[in-house]
Amino acid sequence: MSTNFIDIADHSSTALRDILQLAHKMKSGVISPPSLLGKTIAMIFEKSSTRTRISFEVGIKQLGGTPLVLTSSDMQLSRGETIKDTAKVLSRYVDAVMIRARSHETILQLKENVEIPVINGLTNLSHPCQIMADIMTIEEEFDCIDGLTIAWFGDSNNVLKSCIDAAVKFPFSLRIASPEEYRPDKELIKKA
């Protein structure tokens, strides 16, 4: 069974903390990163990106893997192929897939039909890798996010949804300031 990273809410606090501790140790050189030597990671971009593409592509190469960059127009998805059929093809040829999708439903369908790990590079609903990177950056400055108060100023979007998920998993306080018409979904706040 593959390990996916679709949403922060899908993982335990311990698993998320383990990911961050591993990342801190790898970045500081305390431990050697795991090797992706001989592995090919597909990166599907329904939405273009600068930072997501560069960070994933460079990271995969630094770990010894081969990144395979695909846009919707490069694939049969743009011509009506189903996610299920695309998932079958991906499962045969690559070792994992990162997808930056317009719709969260796309990534959920991919996850259900693929036999390899799926990483959410962004959807309309969430942006978990961004928040994990943000937490790592905060911890580099303040040693640990535990007990800190994080402020969000702006409208409700996919990044805020992942930040709310993270506030449930990590012991920090999240304060949200949004115009009334752009506040997070009440059900999301109630669930948190």
Side-chain angles (χ1 to χ4, degrees), residues 3-18:
T3 302
N4 301 303
F5 194 71
I6 307 299
D7 280 309
I8 288 173
D10 298 338
H11 301 277
S12 70
S13 297
T14 301
L16 294 166
R17 174 53 56 205
D18 289 347

Side-chain angles (χ1 to χ4, degrees), residues 40-47 49-61 66-72 74-75 90 94-101 110 116-117 119 121:
T40 301
I41 313 301
M43 301 187 315
I44 300 173
F45 290 91
E46 285 187 339
K47 292 180 79 170
S49 169
T50 301
R51 286 164 290 284
T52 301
R53 177 173 174 176
I54 291 170
S55 62
F56 271 92
E57 191 166 351
V58 169
I60 292 164
K61 285 183 179 182
T66 302
L68 178 63
V69 179
L70 302 165
T71 64
S72 293
D74 295 330
M75 304 170 68
L90 289 167
V94 301
D95 300 287
V97 61
M98 183 283 299
I99 182 168
R100 189 172 167 91
L110 182 63
I116 54 177
I119 300 167

Side-chain angles (χ1 to χ4, degrees), residues 25-175:
K25 288 177 182 176
M26 286 170 42
K27 186 172 181 183
S28 67
V30 171
I31 62 169
S32 296
S35 176
L36 290 178
L37 191 61
K39 304 288 184 189
T40 301
I41 313 301
M43 301 187 315
I44 300 173
F45 290 91
E46 285 187 339
K47 292 180 79 170
S48 60
S49 169
T50 301
R51 286 164 290 284
T52 301
R53 177 173 174 176
I54 291 170
S55 62
F56 271 92
E57 191 166 351
V58 169
I60 292 164
K61 285 183 179 182
Q62 287 178 341
L63 295 173
T66 302
L68 178 63
V69 179
L70 302 165
T71 64
S72 293
S73 61
D74 295 330
M75 304 170 68
Q76 296 299 327
L77 281 172
S78 66
R79 293 170 198 76
E81 182 175 79
T82 66
I83 292 292
K84 185 175 182 178
D85 287 340
T86 299
K88 288 178 184 179
V89 172
L90 289 167
S91 294
R92 289 184 196 125
Y93 291 105
V94 301
D95 300 287
V97 61
M98 183 283 299
I99 182 168
R100 189 172 167 91
R102 287 186 179 87
S103 167
H104 198 74
E105 185 60 32
T106 299
I107 202 167
L108 295 177
Q109 287 178 20
L110 182 63
K111 177 187 82 161
E112 291 304 315
N113 291 287
V114 78
E115 298 172 14
I116 54 177
V118 176
I119 300 167
N120 178 353
L122 171 138
T123 69
N124 61 319
L125 182 65
S126 63
H127 202 352
C129 292
Q130 176 66 57
I131 293 303
M132 291 295 283
D134 290 347
I135 291 171
M136 186 174 173
T137 300
I138 290 166
E139 291 189 338
E140 288 173 343
E141 184 66 29
F142 297 98
D143 294 323
C144 190
I145 198 165
D146 296 7
L148 295 180
T149 299
I150 306 298
W152 176 274
F153 295 90
D155 62 338
S156 180
N157 60 24
N158 53 357
V159 178
L160 178 57
K161 191 271 188 196
S162 290
C163 195
I164 292 168
D165 288 345
V168 172
K169 300 293 182 168
F170 295 94
F172 69 87
S173 295
L174 178 63
R175 302 289 185 249

